[in-house]
């Protein structure tokens, strides 16, 4: 199986979720959010195709990373491939965040036609959902650009069958402490 990426895997990011993360920049997005910061990732035929096995191997060789973040583009336009990636990432204990222009509710709807979307959610720790809306842009928000976007705690949301947001208080940092350092 192949996946189209906008760039090679990028390790050591501290701005794409809690901790030190490796970002997987997927290629392809049709949400067309005005003022999108990554317009070069929109073309579904752009970027470079990678074999999924190659990506898995790269994940196996990561060092000092807390997790991966799927971003783009919109990872959900390549659901078969990203499902394979999150399955593997979870099997090697990587924490998983995903950014999407779809809302959580839209992902559930998509799941009624294609169960892979629902399966995908089960592997996520956090889904950052919704389009970037310039009129709701707020530079003080944590890990997202506009206030309509939510940091969704996916395991709890699935457990309680209602949207549970990640608390943005200092307490959340405890969860991401590794050894004697806090990576934020
Ligand atoms: S979903 Fe993301 S990549 Fe797609 S247009 Fe919106 S901001 Fe850009």
């Amino acid at each position: 199986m192949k996946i189209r990426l906008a760039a090679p895997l990028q390790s050591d990011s501290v701005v794409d979720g809690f901790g030190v993360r490796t970002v997987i920049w997927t290629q392809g997005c049709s949400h067309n959010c005005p003022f999108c910061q990554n317009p070069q990732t929109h073309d579904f035929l752009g970027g470079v195709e990678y074999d999924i096995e190659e990506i898995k191997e790269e994940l196996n060789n990561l060092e000092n990373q807390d997790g991966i973040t799927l971003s783009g583009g919109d990872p959900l336009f390549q659901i078969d491939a990203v499902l394979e990636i999150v399955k593997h990432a979870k099997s090697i204990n990587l924490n998983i965040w995903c950014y999407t222009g779809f809302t959580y509710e839209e992902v559930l709807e998509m799941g009624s036609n294609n169960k892979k979307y629902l399966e995908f959610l089960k592997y996520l720790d956090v889904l950052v959902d919704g389009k970037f809306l310039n009129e709701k842009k707020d530079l003080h928000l944590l890990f997202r650009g506009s206030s309509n976007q939510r940091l969704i705690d996916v395991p709890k949301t699935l457990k309680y069958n209602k949207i549970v947001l990640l608390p943005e208080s200092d307490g959340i940092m405890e969860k991401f402490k590794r050894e004697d350092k806090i990576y934020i």
Side-chain angles (χ1 to χ4, degrees):
M1 188 183 298
K2 306 274 188 192
I3 185 165
R4 197 168 274 276
L5 299 184
L9 268 56
Q10 178 199 342
S11 288
D12 299 324
S13 169
V14 292
V15 296
D16 298 287
F18 287 117
V20 180
R21 316 188 67 81
T22 293
V23 185
I24 301 177
W25 299 102
T26 61
Q27 179 72 28
C29 181
S30 58
H31 293 297
N32 285 319
C33 309
F35 305 102
C36 168
Q37 291 192 334
N38 300 318
Q40 73 284 3
T41 66
H42 293 182
D43 182 357
F44 286 95
L45 297 176
V48 176
E49 252 189 0
Y50 290 79
D51 197 282
I52 288 292
E53 294 309 314
E54 195 183 329
I55 304 293
K56 287 183 185 174
E57 194 56 37
E58 282 202 50
L59 296 184
N60 289 344
N61 292 329
L62 291 179
E63 288 181 357
N64 301 320
Q65 304 294 298
D66 294 301
I68 62 166
T69 297
L70 291 155
S71 190
D74 191 327
L76 294 191
F77 287 114
Q78 300 187 74
I79 188 63
D80 293 335
V82 292
L83 178 57
E84 286 306 304
I85 289 174
V86 296
K87 278 183 185 171
H88 183 72
K90 199 49 93 176
S91 76
I92 55 173
N93 291 324
L94 289 167
N95 167 283
I96 303 168
W97 283 46
C98 178
Y99 284 77
T100 179
F102 296 104
T103 62
Y104 182 84
E105 291 81 357
E106 286 171 334
V107 179
L108 290 184
E109 267 180 49
M110 286 147 63
S112 60
N113 290 324
N114 181 350
K115 298 281 179 249
K116 287 191 175 175
Y117 289 102
L118 303 180
E119 195 183 350
F120 178 74
L121 287 176
K122 290 180 187 161
Y123 290 93
L124 297 186
D125 292 281
V126 176
L127 183 73
V128 187
D129 80 333
K131 291 182 183 182
F132 168 71
L133 298 179
N134 196 50
E135 63 273 23
K136 296 198 171 176
K137 179 177 174 180
D138 182 346
L139 296 178
H140 302 291
L141 295 167
L142 199 57
F143 303 128
R144 63 220 192 269
S146 60
S147 59
N148 59 298
Q149 296 171 311
R150 301 171 292 185
L151 304 182
I152 297 176
D153 182 327
V154 180
K156 283 189 182 162
T157 294
L158 291 172
K159 182 175 176 187
Y160 299 116
N161 200 24
K162 65 169 191 176
I163 301 279
V164 179
L165 300 179
L166 212 61
E168 294 182 43
S169 63
D170 288 349
I172 193 69
M173 305 307 173
E174 296 299 313
K175 198 173 161 187
F176 295 91
K177 244 186 210 177
R178 200 179 61 222
E179 297 171 354
D180 59 342
K181 280 182 97 174
I182 300 174
Y183 297 89
I184 55 170

